[in-house]
Structures are given as C-alpha cells and as structure tokens.
Amino acid sequence: MEDFLVAKSNLANQIETGAAHAAGSELLDLLPGIELFPGEDETTYEGLRQAFMADLAPGTPYETALAHNLITLEWEAIRHRRIRDGLLLAEYRDQAMGVFSKGEVGAVSSFGRSKEDEDAAFALVNPDPEIRQPAELQLAEYQITPAEILAKAYRQVAKSVEIHERILSDIEIRRRRLRDDFDRLKTARNRPVEDAEVVEG
Amino acid sequence: MSTARQIEANQKNAAKSTGPKTGRGKAKSAGNARAHGLTTPPALEAVTRWYRTILDDISAVPDPLSQNETGRAALSLAEAEAQLERARGAEEQVLADIAKALDQSTQAPGDGGPTLDLDRPDEIFEVLKDEMDPELRMMIKLLTRYGPNTTKSRTERLRLSQRYRREAEARRRRALHRWIAVQPREQIGA
C-alpha cells in the first residue's frame, strides 16, 4: 500500500455548515477517511465531497459521518465503473496483442511478443485518435475487426466484470436506503418537542 | 405444511449431520471465520470512538450494563458502525489489490524487453513448462488456477468481503432505526 497515493480526507474539515462545534470537530478527526487509488483524481473527489456536504448539510458529528458514508458510496460507484472498464480494456489490449504477434485474436505471454506488438496493442486503446489510427489500419490488414476482439475480451473477463456490475446496482439501492435514513435522522433531530415551553433565562 | 413423515425424515437426517464430532474437527470448525476476523466483535476503542460521535460527547464512555434506553441504542449503533468500518476497510483492501494489479497491467511497455510478472503465475508456467518434471508442473498448474494472485481469487475475495459488508450495513440500519426511535421520546421526557 506504500505506493498508493494516500489522500486521507480529514473529516474534521467536512463540517462546513457551521452547525458543528469544536468538540464535534475533534470527534470527526478520529474517524477514518478514504484512501484514493492510483489514477483517482483528488480534485474530483474533493468536488464531489463539497457538493454532497452542501446538499446534505449535516448538523451533528454523527450526521457528518453518515454524510461521509454517502460520499464513499458515490465514490465507490465511480471506482467500480473504472475497474470494470479497466478490466475490459486491459483484456481487449491483451487479445489484440495476439493479432499483432500471431495474426489471430488471443492473449500472448510477455515472452512470446515483441516490443512492436505491445506498442501496437497499446496504441489501439489509446484515447488519442492520431495514435490509434495507425494501429487500427494495421488491424484491418489482418481482416480482424475491433468488435471481434471486444467479443473475445468480454468472454474472457465476463466473470470478473460481472461482480462489479452487480456491486454497482447494489450500491444504488444501498445509497437510496442510507439517504432515506440520513433524512429520517435529521428530521428526528429537528422534530419539535410536543408541549415544550420556552423558559425565559 | 410438512407431513408427519417428512418431519420424521428431517429429524433423522438432521441427526446424521450435526457438525464436526471429533475434537480436531470441532477446533477447525470453530476457526472457520477466523481467517479474516470480520465476524468477531469489533475493538472497544473503535466502539468508543463511534459511541462518542453518536452522542456528540468527547468524554462519553459506553456502558454495556446501562438501563438507559438512549445509551443502549447508542452503544448498539456504535458497535454496528465499528463492525461496518472494519468490513469496509477489508473490502477496500481487496479492491486496492484489484486496482493495483490492473494498474500494473495497463503500464505502457518499456524498452527493457520481456519481464517476468510474478503476479501472473500463468507466465511462470509459460516460461518454465519445458524445464519441469511432471510433479512440479502440476504444482505450478494448481498455483496458476488457485493462487492468491489470480483474478479469480481476487474476485472471490471481493465477493466475500461484499457479503460481510452487506451484513454489517443491515445491522447498522437496524441499530440506526432504533436510535432514531429513542430520540423524540427522550426529548419529551427530558
């Protein structure tokens, strides 16, 4: 984990509503933050956190912890989508490697391929069209379409991808439930006390 | 509804499978969930931290013997939160492993020629397949199939950690509802 970018978000900084006080801040300081994985953008996370905090406006340390739970769920959805897409992309590239080294769709071990084959396969999944185009032309020479490679890649990683798909749909339900509970907790706190009398100080 | 014959058959079958019988079997079975520790009670320190956060009181000390409804509901919620925190941490660790493996596989190729990726036992097999005796080959084959660094085993770990997290979330939800339920009553009585 040492090589991971550790971006501990300090929950004490998350009380921005003015409702919490110094003791609350101290309490929140003790709660765990989230660790960003390599490739995850801290600015994006920070933007998401601020938007959620502004919307949820937690008023107590525990409400802030629950609000943070909601942010974590949202971030996890982004994370699972990224891993799912990454798994498919990596497999697509590995399957494409076979086309460039053997002329057929299929993964090749790193000892059975040349540097040129690797470069071509990496270029094929490059987001820049200028870098991608020569690799696509090379692919066309083998009369193999990207759809063929994608189909094989999907078949290979279907099981690994499936769990992320399932977690994604599950997160949606959990997020809705937690939001519902968060709102109920806030309502309970704000509920007027029946028969209350204002005592003049 | 089950018939008398079905009930009798069920009882007979149940008598045949009442878990491990030998001391060794019982000891092994008792340690089934110990590998990850996610089912053991959470640490007191974590529970106290959550208890204080829930009550918004930095010096509050949980009292398991308390008769106070609010205190009991807060403690139950604190335990559920501590358990969930641990389950979430375990899941994040598995996800971090998956992300790390994925990150390594998406690195652009270097100029140093082929390198042996020890996280991919299939490559070890590929390289050593002509050099090995059949027994060693079988062992490597098993490693490639069931080793801890295969995508399959990481996926399985993720599935398991998700299960524990869902259970912890369900427990937290029940405790939170109880906590919400005691709020107004305490206020009115105060």
Side-chain angles (χ1 to χ4, degrees):
Chain A
M1 290 295 287
E2 307 84 53
D3 52 342
F4 271 25
L5 166 67
V6 178
K8 282 271 182 193
S9 89
N10 187 346
L11 282 175
N13 295 333
Q14 293 178 1
I15 299 185
E16 286 150 7
T17 60
H21 40 75
S25 268
E26 227 173 294
L27 283 167
L28 287 167
D29 219 6
L30 300 170
L31 293 176
I34 191 167
E35 278 187 19
L36 297 188
F37 291 172
E40 289 184 341
D41 184 25
E42 205 180 342
T43 317
T44 311
Y45 175 77
E46 191 51 27
L48 182 82
R49 187 191 69 74
Q50 281 181 11
F52 262 76
M53 281 299 178
D55 177 41
L56 297 168
T60 66
Y62 185 58
E63 279 175 17
T64 309
L66 284 187
H68 186 258
N69 270 201
L70 278 163
I71 298 165
T72 303
L73 278 178
E74 189 69 34
W75 191 252
E76 281 176 357
I78 295 170
R79 186 173 272 175
H80 281 285
R81 261 182 231 117
R82 192 172 150 261
I83 292 177
R84 175 199 63 190
D85 296 350
L87 282 169
L88 195 55
L89 196 71
E91 191 60 35
Y92 179 91
R93 199 196 50 231
D94 283 356
Q95 295 293 330
M97 209 88 77
V99 180
F100 298 119
S101 60
K102 297 187 297 189
E104 59 184 54
V105 182
V108 187
S109 98
S110 61
F111 290 85
R113 63 202 187 208
S114 68
K115 171 86 172 51
E116 288 72 33
D117 302 335
E118 285 187 355
D119 286 341
F122 272 84
L124 199 61
V125 293
N126 197 299
D128 185 349
E130 277 187 29
I131 298 173
R132 209 171 52 233
Q133 208 178 22
E136 283 172 347
L137 289 172
Q138 207 179 331
L139 190 69
E141 284 172 24
Y142 291 102
Q143 295 187 322
I144 290 170
T145 64
E148 272 176 79
I149 304 174
L150 186 64
K152 177 95 187 274
Y154 194 82
R155 213 164 49 232
Q156 289 296 116
V157 292
K159 276 192 178 166
S160 318
V161 164
E162 185 254 334
I163 188 167
H164 297 283
E165 297 274 12
R166 204 143 46 81
I167 291 173
L168 276 166
S169 61
D170 198 36
I171 282 178
E172 190 50 47
I173 299 165
R174 285 151 62 196
R175 193 167 48 181
R176 242 180 284 140
R177 276 190 193 145
L178 185 57
R179 178 63 203 250
D180 186 42
D181 289 342
F182 177 84
D183 290 340
R184 284 175 66 180
L185 183 66
K186 267 186 93 171
T187 312
R189 180 170 57 82
N190 295 329
R191 194 178 300 164
V193 179
E194 284 172 38
D195 302 330
E197 286 177 25
V198 178
V199 180
E200 296 293 330
Chain B
M1 209 173 132
S2 307
T3 63
R5 205 168 153 223
Q6 279 173 327
I7 292 169
E8 194 189 340
N10 283 342
Q11 283 170 348
K12 259 189 189 171
N13 286 334
K16 283 180 202 164
S17 53
T18 49
K21 286 184 180 64
T22 63
R24 200 175 160 195
K26 284 175 188 169
K28 194 176 177 188
S29 164
N32 276 349
R34 203 171 289 163
H36 45 67
L38 293 176
T39 52
T40 56
L44 181 64
E45 190 192 311
V47 175
T48 306
R49 190 162 28 87
W50 277 105
Y51 185 75
R52 290 173 174 173
T53 306
I54 291 159
L55 290 174
D56 194 3
D57 179 354
I58 194 100
S59 57
V61 179
D63 175 12
L65 303 174
S66 169
Q67 296 298 308
N68 177 285
E69 205 178 353
T70 306
R72 283 213 315 267
L75 179 56
S76 161
L77 182 54
E79 284 170 346
E81 283 287 5
Q83 192 108 24
L84 177 58
E85 180 185 322
R86 194 171 54 181
R88 197 186 295 124
E91 190 192 329
E92 193 169 81
Q93 184 61 57
V94 179
L95 260 187
D97 286 349
I98 292 173
K100 192 176 172 185
L102 189 62
D103 192 53
Q104 280 171 351
S105 77
T106 51
Q107 297 291 323
D111 295 325
T115 52
L116 190 61
D117 183 356
L118 293 177
D119 268 352
R120 297 191 63 169
D122 53 328
E123 291 213 346
I124 304 172
F125 186 66
E126 177 79 22
V127 174
L128 300 176
K129 66 181 175 186
D130 299 328
E131 311 292 328
M132 288 183 290
D133 65 69
E135 273 185 30
L136 187 58
R137 188 181 302 193
M138 180 55 76
M139 281 170 68
I140 298 279
K141 210 169 185 175
L142 287 172
L143 179 69
T144 62
R145 205 168 291 169
Y146 304 110
N149 290 322
T150 59
T151 309
K152 191 181 169 187
S153 97
R154 286 193 193 103
T155 306
E156 201 43 54
R157 273 159 56 210
L158 180 60
R159 206 183 303 276
L160 186 67
S161 62
Q162 266 282 309
R163 203 184 94 199
Y164 283 109
R165 181 161 169 193
R166 274 200 305 271
E167 284 171 7
E169 278 184 350
R171 187 182 166 194
R172 193 265 303 270
R173 192 156 201 243
R174 286 193 298 272
L176 180 55
H177 287 180
R178 193 176 152 205
W179 169 247
I180 292 169
V182 300
Q183 297 294 301
R185 248 181 283 165
E186 287 293 315
Q187 280 180 13
I188 292 165

